[in-house]
Amino acid sequence: MEYCKYHPVEAATYSCTHCNVRQCDHCVDASSGSVRCLVCRRELENQGPGDSIVPFWRRLDKCFSYPMTMQTLLLIILASAVSAVAASAGGLQSFVILLVVSAVTTKYGFLCLQQTAAGKMDAPDVSEAYLGGIKLIIHIILIVLGIVFMVLAVANVLGQFAALAFSVFWLCCLPAVFINYARFEEIGAAINPVKVAHLVLLLRGAYLLLLLFITIMILSVGTLNQLFDGQDVLSAALQSVVSYYYWIVIFHLMGYLLFQKQHVLGYVSRLDSDGDVHNRSDKQHTMARIGVLAKEGMFTELSSELKTALKKYPDDIGIYDRYFDYLCALHKTAELDKFWLAYLQCLEKSGGTPKVAGLMLRILHFAPDYLPASAEVRFKLAGILLKQGKPALSVRLINRLHRDYPGFEHLSEAYFIMADALDELPEKQVQAEKCRLLANKLKTRPVAT
């Protein structure tokens, strides 16, 4: 399995031939309609879900619950009841009814196959089965006649033993015949022995497992027929319910096998449940680009993207956090000074102030002597840090504030915070009292201009 370069545990669903990287759904840009690389902006190749698809034999519970929708169950019950009544009545009119029922259920089976192969894992709308069923039945009859004709031709040319072997081939390849008809919607492709054999070889062991499960279901229906050996309508209806139920499950299994092996069959499909990258919001695309640029180390482009995003989404704490991470990673203390006040305001709005202590410690890790270049930021940080049990940091921020910023209007409040912080430090009570005296003096002193 190929994995996303930026999320190593996620399966890759796109690839960029220019950058020679593979990406998951979260790391692509679909804002312009087409899906493009977030680095070079070139269009990407869709890889589909690839090897991350669960094999059908590991999801048999979902396969057998596939027909368990209200519409599908009603179709099964109605078709079974009508078939049982028509079969017991006999006559031309009953034959026509049976033909119509067969047309609808067959069309529905092929719809299940085609939609499952396209990644739609919910049973299709029954109303779609009411048109084109007769044509489909005619095509299936022609397919069967074509196979019979080929077997007879082989018997005429190569003898009975070769004809028997050819008959066994077609019997084992019957699911492949239906699959090819659903893929190409052509009788020729369905009965072309080369194409049928090629499909079986591409599907390999998975096809053999599919054949095994189909055989088991057919044998179970045969066993049911023996158990209900009566000729009453109710028994016939119950047998038909099981038969039609298995019919839909089999077509779903065939469709899922196509979906599972899509890469070797040369097409790409996605699960409906995977979501659509085209439906993501502008902000989601922005966050994806920010993440990719950061991991690629494209810091000039990252800085520009982050600044644009901050202007576009001024209340989004996630973008503020990303910008803070960027500034810390590159030790940009000068830009941190310009950023702090807006960041603190956003943290207060979003309830993120509990992480302020951790943010301050991150800065001090790479800049031990750091002090914000704004009196207001130092004042706000000191108050928050004191509440978070960091009195030493609070003292550090307020110390000498009256000398560095003599005109700051909240100097008195700042030194009261410092005094409270000193009270919480061991053997600092004397300094705390001196600090309160200073705070009271500053309270009565005119603000310097």
Side-chain angles (χ1 to χ4, degrees), residues 87-206:
S88 64
L92 179 61
Q93 186 176 3
S94 296
F95 173 77
V96 173
I97 293 172
L98 286 170
L99 183 64
V100 171
V101 171
S102 298
V104 172
T105 53
T106 303
K107 178 62 183 295
Y108 190 71
F110 275 94
L111 279 172
C112 293
L113 193 162
Q114 291 170 329
Q115 294 200 13
T116 302
K120 298 177 180 179
M121 296 300 148
D122 294 323
D125 195 312
V126 171
S127 62
E128 297 180 53
Y130 296 141
L131 296 176
I134 299 296
K135 177 184 175 182
L136 184 59
I137 288 291
I138 293 171
H139 281 193
I140 290 175
I141 292 171
L142 292 174
I143 287 169
V144 172
L145 290 175
I147 292 172
V148 170
F149 175 78
M150 283 188 284
V151 171
L152 293 174
V154 169
N156 187 48
V157 176
L158 300 176
Q160 295 299 318
F161 183 78
L164 178 62
F166 201 43
S167 299
V168 171
F169 165 80
W170 282 113
L171 185 63
C172 293
C173 292
L174 199 56
V177 170
F178 286 144
I179 290 172
N180 265 352
Y181 179 77
R183 288 173 67 201
F184 304 109
E185 297 186 349
E186 295 176 359
I187 296 173
I191 61 174
N192 185 326
V194 176
K195 286 189 175 182
V196 170
H198 181 62
L199 175 63
V200 172
L201 290 173
L202 286 176
L203 299 178
R204 299 183 181 180

Side-chain angles (χ1 to χ4, degrees), residues 202-330:
L202 286 176
L203 299 178
R204 299 183 181 180
Y207 182 82
L208 295 178
L209 277 175
L210 173 69
L211 202 60
L212 175 63
F213 283 116
I214 292 174
T215 304
I216 291 171
M217 283 185 270
I218 292 172
L219 291 175
S220 67
V221 172
T223 303
L224 192 66
N225 287 336
Q226 291 181 350
L227 291 174
F228 293 95
D229 56 356
Q231 299 300 316
D232 59 286
V233 174
L234 181 59
S235 296
L238 288 174
Q239 293 174 54
S240 295
V241 166
V242 176
S243 298
Y244 285 130
Y245 169 76
Y246 279 159
W247 177 260
I248 293 170
V249 171
I250 287 169
F251 274 86
H252 174 61
L253 282 170
M254 291 191 291
Y256 192 84
L257 182 56
L258 284 182
F259 180 75
Q260 179 185 330
K261 297 291 184 179
Q262 56 183 266
H263 276 190
V264 297
L265 295 174
Y267 82 99
V268 172
S269 184
R270 302 292 298 279
L271 283 170
D272 274 1
S273 57
D274 285 344
D276 187 351
V277 294
H278 296 283
N279 290 334
R280 289 192 297 168
S281 64
D282 288 340
K283 187 166 72 174
Q284 287 174 316
H285 282 114
T286 298
M287 294 301 286
R289 180 163 170 76
I290 288 169
V292 168
L293 292 175
K295 290 170 184 176
E296 287 287 351
M298 300 173 66
F299 298 124
T300 302
E301 294 85 350
L302 176 60
S303 176
S304 175
E305 192 75 29
L306 283 166
K307 289 174 181 177
T308 301
L310 285 172
K311 292 177 182 177
K312 194 171 183 179
Y313 309 106
D315 297 322
D316 192 290
I317 190 61
I319 296 174
Y320 276 89
D321 288 339
R322 290 292 188 93
Y323 192 50
F324 182 85
D325 292 341
Y326 159 75
L327 296 176
C328 286
L330 298 187

